[in-house]
């Protein structure tokens, strides 16, 4: 009967270790059943699960491996695996897999301990842990630092609701974000990302800025806040707010546009998505005047927003066409998915207000970004601690990925069109 053995090699990393170990095993006619390798701070840890045919001289193999390890200043560990243990391991491959992503400005041991304790309470095993964020220097954190660790989990999870609730309790206590997803075929096969604009792609509610310019800021802000919390019907409240802008000079739109700030991480996110072949869209309950400018600036593919009526150089207090409310956003998202020939499971929707919930709920990945409490509680995922480019972490894309110079040049060309 063939033997099954797990060997581990650890020590200072250097080129040629994997090649040398594999070549030695090949010389002895050994089969590799599984392999894993990680390097942390130039220190290698490699594991190989081997099937050693009965005809192979085991003592000779052990001696050869030990000589190889000694020659490369590596530690070798050798562990026999029973046939039953191996059979149980093979049978476990059908279990569900999950991904939990920890997002913070800085990762701490307390965060790791408390998050992993939730996994343990629910019987989930950790198959792997990967840092997706870049390396953080010692001392004071750089401005807008990002830290992310991804946990790959396996096992039955009969009470998903309780598990999610416990994760959210830990996230709230630690002031971090925790995203939990099933590790299915769609996770790395998203193709379209749709964004709300106000307080999502930009750090303002444009209608509030226009209202300030018109001298009705307090009135409009109060209505906006109640609408975003879901206390008022969006379409009715929108018409009510727009009516208060009547008589505002058209030139005020340019002045407001010049002062708008793009949200942290938005430019990096969109340029990376474009480089990866994603389509992007703005589905906004705001105004097309501002959304189309943002489209040119970021290189967004599609824009749907409300057209503010202007006559004689003045805002009339009316909007043209169908208002882009929550239901309209969801309808537009469905239409875009059909147009792109993709399933809704391949769509990501991002927003902050109650009027974004319909599109968040039908997208394969709905993300509440720096959202109102009602939206955070209702959305599948929530990001509050980092910028918009933290969405890349939820897709498994780490900071090591950067668009090429040619891709960035293409993006700049789009902005100039």
């Amino acid at each position: 009967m063939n033997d099954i053995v797990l060997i581990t090699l650890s020590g200072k990393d250097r080129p040629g270790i994997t090649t040398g170990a594999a070549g030695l095993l090949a010389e002895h006619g050994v089969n590799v059943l599984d392999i894993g390798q990680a390097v942390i701070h130039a220190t290698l840890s490699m594991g190989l699960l081997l099937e050693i045919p009965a005809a192979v001289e085991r003592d000779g193999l052990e001696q050869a491996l030990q000589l190889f390890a000694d020659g490369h200043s590596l530690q070798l560990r050798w562990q026999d695996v029973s046939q039953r243990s191996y059979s149980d391991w093979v049978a476990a491959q059908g279990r569900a897999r999950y991904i939990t992503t920890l997002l913070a400005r800085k990762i701490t041991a307390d965060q790791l301990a408390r998050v992993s304790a939730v996994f343990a309470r629910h019987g989930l095993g950790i198959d792997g842990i990967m840092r997706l964020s870049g390396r953080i220097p010692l001392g004071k954190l750089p401005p807008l630092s990002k830290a992310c660790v991804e946990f790959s989990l396996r096992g039955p999870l009969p009470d998903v609701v309780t598990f999610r609730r416990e994760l959210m309790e830990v996230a709230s206590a630690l002031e971090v974000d925790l995203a939990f997803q099933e590790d299915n075929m769609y996770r790395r096969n998203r193709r379209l990302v749709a964004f709300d604009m106000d307080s999502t792609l930009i750090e303002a509610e444009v209608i509030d800025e226009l209202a300030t310019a018109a001298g009705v800021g307090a009135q409009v802000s109060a209505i906006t806040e109640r609408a975003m919390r879901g206390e008022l019907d969006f379409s009715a409240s929108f018409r009510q707010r727009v009516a208060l802008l009547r008589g505002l000079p058209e030139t005020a739109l340019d002045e407001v546009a010049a002062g708008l700030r793009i949200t942290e991480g938005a430019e990096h996110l969109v340029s990376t998505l474009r480089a990866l072949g994603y389509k992007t869209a703005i589905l906004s309950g705001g105004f097309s005047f501002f959304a189309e400018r943002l489209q040119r600036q970021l290189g967004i593919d599609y824009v749907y927003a409300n057209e503010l009526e202007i006559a004689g150089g003045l805002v009339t207090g009316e909007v043209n066409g169908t208002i882009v409310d929550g239901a309209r956003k969801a309808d537009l998202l469905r239409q875009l998915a059909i147009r792109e020939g993709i399933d809704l499971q391949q769509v990501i929707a991002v927003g902050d207000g109650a009027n974004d919930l319909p599109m968040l709920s039908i997208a394969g990945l709905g993300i509440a970004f720096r959202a109102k409490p009602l939206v955070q509680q209702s959305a599948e995922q929530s990001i509050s601690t980092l910028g918009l480019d933290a969405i890349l972490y939820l897709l498994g894309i780490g900071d090591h990925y950067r668009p090429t110079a040619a891709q960035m040049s293409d993006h700049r060309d789009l902005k100039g069109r």
Side-chain angles (χ1 to χ4, degrees):
M1 182 177 294
N2 295 349
D3 290 339
I4 300 174
V5 173
L6 173 65
I7 68 166
T8 57
L9 292 165
S10 59
K12 184 176 177 59
D13 185 39
R14 57 174 58 87
I17 291 177
T18 304
T19 302
L24 190 154
L25 295 171
E27 290 175 11
H28 286 77
V30 173
N31 299 318
V32 178
L33 302 173
D34 194 17
I35 183 170
Q37 178 175 313
V39 176
I40 299 178
H41 196 63
T43 299
L44 169 74
S45 179
M46 178 193 296
L48 298 113
L49 188 62
L50 310 176
E51 180 188 24
I52 304 175
V56 173
E57 183 186 350
R58 178 163 167 164
D59 289 343
L61 174 62
E62 289 188 43
Q63 291 175 11
L65 282 170
Q66 190 62 61
L67 284 172
F68 174 82
D70 293 343
H72 290 80
S73 301
L74 299 172
Q75 291 184 334
L76 171 67
R77 183 169 177 244
W78 185 286
Q79 177 184 341
D80 286 296
V81 176
S82 69
Q83 295 285 338
R84 179 170 181 177
S85 175
Y86 179 76
S87 297
D88 290 344
W89 176 74
V90 171
Q93 68 184 329
R95 292 180 183 174
R97 297 180 64 94
Y98 305 97
I99 296 292
T100 295
T101 311
L102 168 61
L103 307 167
R105 292 297 179 184
K106 183 177 183 178
I107 300 297
T108 69
D110 185 43
Q111 294 166 0
L112 296 176
R114 295 177 68 173
V115 171
S116 59
V118 178
F119 304 156
R121 282 198 299 273
H122 288 264
L124 290 176
I126 301 175
D127 275 357
I129 303 176
M130 180 182 298
R131 173 178 55 83
L132 296 179
S133 51
R135 298 172 182 175
I136 297 176
L138 294 175
K140 186 178 180 181
L141 287 176
L144 304 179
S145 65
K146 299 182 296 181
C148 174
V149 170
E150 178 185 278
F151 300 87
S152 178
L153 311 172
R154 186 192 294 274
L157 188 58
D159 193 350
V160 177
V161 173
T162 301
F163 178 78
R164 282 184 177 274
R165 187 186 70 243
E166 291 184 19
L167 279 184
M168 293 309 102
E169 289 171 353
V170 170
S172 178
L174 297 175
E175 296 184 340
V176 301
D177 291 321
L178 287 168
F180 173 71
Q181 307 174 66
E182 185 177 350
D183 192 11
N184 58 31
M185 61 179 286
Y186 292 111
R187 179 173 177 258
R188 297 179 187 271
N189 192 31
R190 316 288 187 189
R191 304 313 311 153
L192 169 69
V193 186
F195 301 95
D196 174 46
M197 179 176 68
D198 296 45
S199 296
T200 300
L201 281 174
I202 57 174
E203 295 181 345
E205 291 288 333
V206 170
I207 197 167
D208 290 350
E209 301 299 316
L210 293 175
T212 298
V216 291
Q219 295 167 260
V220 169
S221 290
I223 299 171
T224 299
E225 184 64 22
R226 293 185 65 194
M228 292 299 99
R229 290 199 303 261
E231 297 174 7
L232 298 173
D233 173 73
F234 180 84
S235 294
S237 67
F238 183 71
R239 291 190 183 280
Q240 185 180 353
R241 286 175 286 167
V242 172
L244 292 170
L245 301 179
R246 183 177 181 180
L248 180 69
E250 183 179 8
T251 55
L253 275 65
D254 288 305
E255 294 170 4
V256 167
L260 295 175
R261 293 178 54 187
I262 294 177
T263 299
E264 173 195 351
E267 291 180 292
H268 174 224
L269 170 63
V270 175
S271 63
T272 303
L273 292 173
R274 289 195 62 86
L276 293 172
Y278 283 71
K279 293 293 185 179
T280 54
I282 293 175
L283 305 182
S284 174
F287 301 113
S288 56
F289 178 90
F290 302 93
E292 289 167 1
R293 285 194 171 205
L294 193 59
Q295 177 186 28
R296 293 190 293 272
Q297 189 171 358
L298 294 178
I300 301 289
D301 295 292
Y302 302 105
V303 166
Y304 296 90
N306 299 301
E307 184 183 348
L308 188 61
E309 185 179 81
I310 296 173
L314 299 175
V315 173
T316 67
E318 300 288 339
V319 290
N320 296 322
T322 304
I323 289 178
V324 181
D325 58 8
R328 177 68 174 154
K329 287 187 178 188
D331 286 342
L332 289 168
L333 196 64
R334 292 188 185 94
Q335 292 174 27
L336 285 174
I338 293 171
R339 180 171 179 172
E340 291 296 327
I342 60 176
D343 192 280
L344 278 170
Q345 285 296 316
Q346 296 176 272
V347 174
I348 301 170
V350 189
D352 73 298
N355 64 317
D356 296 311
L357 282 174
M359 73 171 182
L360 298 186
S361 66
I362 65 170
L365 180 60
I367 303 170
F369 179 74
R370 297 180 182 176
K372 311 300 183 289
L374 170 67
V375 184
Q376 285 189 19
Q377 294 165 13
S378 304
E380 181 183 9
Q381 309 294 348
S382 177
I383 295 177
S384 298
T385 60
L386 302 182
L388 267 177
D389 52 352
I391 290 171
L392 295 172
Y393 296 144
L394 271 59
L395 304 179
I397 302 170
D399 285 352
H400 61 277
Y401 177 85
R402 287 290 185 274
T404 65
Q407 290 164 335
M408 288 302 294
S409 176
D410 177 61
H411 173 58
R412 285 191 291 270
D413 289 345
L414 282 166
K415 288 167 62 175
R417 290 178 188 173

